[in-house]
Amino acid sequence: MPNETVLDVREVGKSFPGVKALSNVTLQVRSGEVVSIVGENGAGKSTLLKILSGDYQLDEGTITLAGKEASHANPLEARDAGFRLVRQEPEIVPHVSVMENVFIGEYPTRPGGRVDFAAMRQTVTALMDRYGFTGMVGIETSGRLLSPAQMHIVEILRALKDGVKVVAFDEPTSSLTNNETEKLFALIATLRAEGIGIIYVSHRLHEVMEISDRVVVLKDGQTTGDLAIGETSEDEIVRLMVGRELSAHGFNRTEVTRDEVVLEVENLSSRWHQNISFSIRAGEIVGFAGLVGAGRTELAKVLFGEFPRDGGTIKIGGEVKTIRSPADAIKASIGFAPENRKAEGLILVRSVLENASMAVFSSLSRLGLLRHKEMVSAVTPYIRQLEIKTPSLDHDVGKLSGGNQQKVVLARWLAAKPKLLILDEPTRAVDVGAKAEIYRLIDDLAKSGMAIMMISSEMPELLSMSDRIIVMHDGQISQPIEKHDATEEAIVNLALGTRNVA
């Protein structure tokens, strides 16, 4: 049961040039307690975590950790004080082992200064046994060979290896399967039993309701609620987050029926697929469901020319297209918003303008030189339509919130006007307010006649947004399930392979 206060944040404020990121933020975490922090993108969650972890220094207020005032002038001080952050994007050194990644920057040494690999091995093995990770990743495995879930395990082991008092999880399930999420929740239960304070940051409110004792709501850099889970609801949390009533569970689409077939895939095969055939009509949203490893993202990348195709045909508007590269796909009027927008969808150190106009560079250049005025004219209407919050078009896209970054990716394809738009996890790590805006945009695109292929791991999203749902399992697909026949049970059974997929 929760006991003494282990973390006490009082009236914390933080400003950047022209921006008040946090103002009078207050929260407490007791030992053995799970406190979730929720809020829209840009509400101040990341800024608060960076202050607690020593990446930023506060301007106002106080932080007390385990009874001692903590300024956390740098990440090392925060770590020594007992605060640990498991980041949304794991920081893994690719060319060293899991064991070395856990100890990166603080290798134990023997007399004479030599690295004590035996001590490292013993510690990591014991941690894996203690927290249920044995067999899930090899301690000698190279960092470059790790799956996203295994990278998170390394991050967690690094956080827990010694002296932890409070551990914060930042969007920990955004790249995990349901089974992996259950294992994470079991770990959190173990940490609670050991008296460790837990901060849990997530956009997935059903997870917040399941594992939290309390939830702290941030809006515009301020605390708007501190609620006991047993005395609140998802609807109340959403209202405090966005300042208005908003359905967080789905979206009522406008049904559009068109006869024109935009995409026809016939007997497609690749390293990941066997005899894939399906079609998408103009104005139709076809959802793709399946577990991690089922081949959904790989199928999207084959269609977009990023991964090779071994056989079969791809037709756009009835015409066979030879697609060997993303450039070929764009010429064929295909757009693709990838799941990992930071690594694959955006150039974070370049401007909003450059990122939003990237798909139409060829039409905006003269003699190989881009024309700035034409770039501005091409993307400004979509920046406004999507209400992208940016100080200017020249602002680095990497400095925007996650929801606004996703909108920049979508603005790029609005400018290019593709016939087919492939969306891979379009609302991953996006808050409920931005999620509703993205749903409205996708609905508008379908109404305009664009064909949408939408890959999603969120069941409410699939059920509410899709006209038909195709389930993938082990590189094969099911017959499309019509909207009126789609149920969560049917989708899960097909995804698990307990029903015939091919």
Side-chain angles (χ1 to χ4, degrees):
M1 293 295 293
N3 196 351
E4 76 277 1
T5 298
V6 66
L7 176 68
D8 192 355
V9 177
R10 295 280 179 177
E11 299 179 349
V12 162
K14 179 66 179 177
S15 297
F16 299 99
V19 178
K20 184 74 171 179
L22 296 177
S23 178
N24 296 317
V25 171
T26 295
L27 67 89
Q28 289 79 42
V29 180
R30 293 185 287 272
S31 60
E33 183 182 38
V34 178
V35 176
S36 286
I37 301 176
V38 301
E40 293 188 272
N41 289 107
K45 304 184 302 296
S46 294
T47 301
L48 179 58
L49 289 181
K50 287 180 179 179
I51 288 173
L52 292 172
S53 63
D55 290 323
Y56 292 162
Q57 283 69 55
L58 54 78
D59 296 331
E60 305 162 352
T62 61
I63 298 172
T64 303
L65 181 60
K68 298 180 181 179
E69 188 167 340
S71 60
H72 295 174
N74 55 59
L76 184 58
E77 282 192 10
R79 180 174 184 83
D80 289 343
F83 183 87
R84 309 294 164 78
L85 174 60
V86 178
R87 302 175 189 274
Q88 179 182 355
E89 304 292 340
E91 296 181 343
I92 301 297
V93 180
H95 60 276
V96 303
S97 69
V98 164
M99 176 180 69
E100 293 170 279
N101 264 287
V102 170
F103 277 90
I104 204 75
E106 46 186 0
Y107 288 176
T109 57
R110 296 173 178 269
R114 290 182 299 169
V115 174
D116 191 344
F117 287 101
M120 291 168 61
R121 186 173 292 105
Q122 182 179 3
T123 299
V124 175
T125 300
L127 283 170
M128 286 186 169
D129 290 342
R130 180 176 179 178
Y131 293 114
F133 294 133
T134 300
M136 297 177 66
V137 59
I139 64 173
E140 302 290 351
T141 303
S142 173
R144 63 185 175 83
L145 300 177
L146 300 179
S147 69
Q150 290 172 327
M151 290 181 183
H152 273 284
I153 290 173
V154 174
E155 279 275 309
I156 291 168
L157 292 172
R158 186 184 293 153
L160 300 180
K161 72 175 186 294
D162 57 0
V164 59
K165 296 179 177 68
V166 176
V167 59
F169 294 90
D170 186 9
E171 297 288 352
T173 63
S174 61
S175 60
L176 301 184
T177 65
N178 289 338
N179 184 50
E180 290 161 349
T181 297
E182 289 177 6
K183 291 179 179 178
L184 173 67
F185 289 175
L187 167 68
I188 290 174
T190 300
L191 297 177
R192 292 182 66 184
E194 294 180 355
I196 294 172
I198 309 292
I199 293 175
Y200 191 87
V201 178
S202 179
H203 292 307
R204 298 181 175 182
L205 295 188
H206 64 280
E207 295 179 357
V208 169
M209 298 297 290
E210 179 179 347
I211 69 166
S212 307
D213 297 297
R214 290 186 297 115
V215 56
V216 172
V217 184
L218 297 183
K219 177 176 170 56
D220 298 329
Q222 300 184 59
T223 306
T224 59
D226 187 337
L227 311 166
I229 285 296
E231 299 173 2
T232 189
S233 65
E234 288 190 31
D235 289 340
E236 182 180 12
I237 293 170
V238 169
R239 180 178 58 78
L240 290 169
M241 286 172 59
V242 304
R244 62 189 186 278
E245 298 295 335
L246 180 69
S247 172
H249 304 289
F251 182 84
N252 294 321
R253 276 205 60 232
T254 305
E255 292 189 14
V256 179
T257 302
R258 296 172 186 261
D259 295 329
E260 177 193 355
V261 176
V262 172
L263 172 69
E264 292 178 86
V265 177
E266 298 176 353
N267 298 319
L268 181 146
S269 62
S270 73
R271 174 183 171 186
W272 304 272
H273 309 102
Q274 307 90 39
N275 299 319
I276 297 287
S277 297
F278 68 95
S279 64
I280 304 178
R281 298 191 300 271
E284 186 178 35
I285 300 176
V286 177
F288 276 70
L291 303 178
V292 172
R296 297 173 302 161
T297 293
E298 291 80 4
L299 177 59
K301 291 185 175 183
V302 169
L303 294 176
F304 195 63
E306 189 173 340
F307 287 172
R309 170 169 50 95
D310 296 333
T313 59
I314 300 171
K315 296 180 182 178
I316 299 292
E319 183 179 345
V320 175
K321 299 293 183 179
T322 301
I323 299 174
R324 297 191 180 93
S325 68
D328 290 339
I330 293 171
K331 289 178 184 177
S333 200
I334 300 174
F336 177 38
E339 175 184 9
N340 191 341
R341 57 179 172 265
K342 289 186 177 181
E344 299 177 335
L346 297 166
I347 303 176
L348 298 179
V349 297
R350 308 301 294 184
S351 69
V352 170
L353 177 63
E354 291 168 295
N355 276 277
S357 57
M358 198 173 294
V360 290
F361 273 174
S362 60
S363 64
L364 300 176
S365 63
R366 179 180 298 165
L367 300 177
L369 298 176
L370 288 169
R371 296 172 288 177
H372 186 271
K373 187 178 293 185
E374 283 80 355
M375 290 170 65
V376 172
S377 298
V379 305
T380 296
Y382 307 111
I383 300 294
R384 290 174 177 166
Q385 177 184 340
L386 299 178
E387 298 181 355
I388 297 173
K389 296 176 183 177
T390 177
S392 71
L393 291 178
D394 294 324
H395 194 67
D396 283 356
V397 77
K399 296 178 180 178
L400 301 184
S401 68
N404 283 300
Q405 288 178 350
Q406 185 71 321
K407 289 181 182 180
V408 171
V409 176
L410 295 175
R412 174 190 306 158
W413 297 115
L414 286 176
K417 300 180 177 64
K419 293 179 180 178
L420 169 70
L421 179 58
I422 304 170
L423 303 172
D424 192 356
E425 303 289 359
T427 61
R428 178 192 173 204
V430 169
D431 65 75
V432 292
K435 183 177 290 190
E437 293 173 9
I438 290 171
Y439 289 161
R440 282 192 286 270
L441 170 64
I442 295 171
D443 186 49
D444 288 342
L445 293 176
K447 284 191 287 187
S448 73
M450 191 177 293
I452 310 287
M453 174 181 172
M454 187 183 74
I455 299 167
S456 178
S457 298
E458 295 194 26
M459 201 66 69
E461 185 167 274
L462 284 168
L463 293 171
S464 63
M465 291 296 294
S466 306
D467 296 302
R468 294 182 295 143
I469 296 174
I470 292 173
V471 185
M472 296 195 68
H473 172 77
D474 196 24
Q476 297 181 289
I477 66 171
S478 67
Q479 290 295 319
I481 307 172
E482 297 296 330
K483 187 181 186 74
H484 57 270
D485 294 325
T487 65
E488 185 168 346
E489 181 181 5
I491 292 169
V492 170
N493 281 327
L494 287 167
L496 292 171
T498 54
R499 291 187 189 175
N500 188 28
V501 175

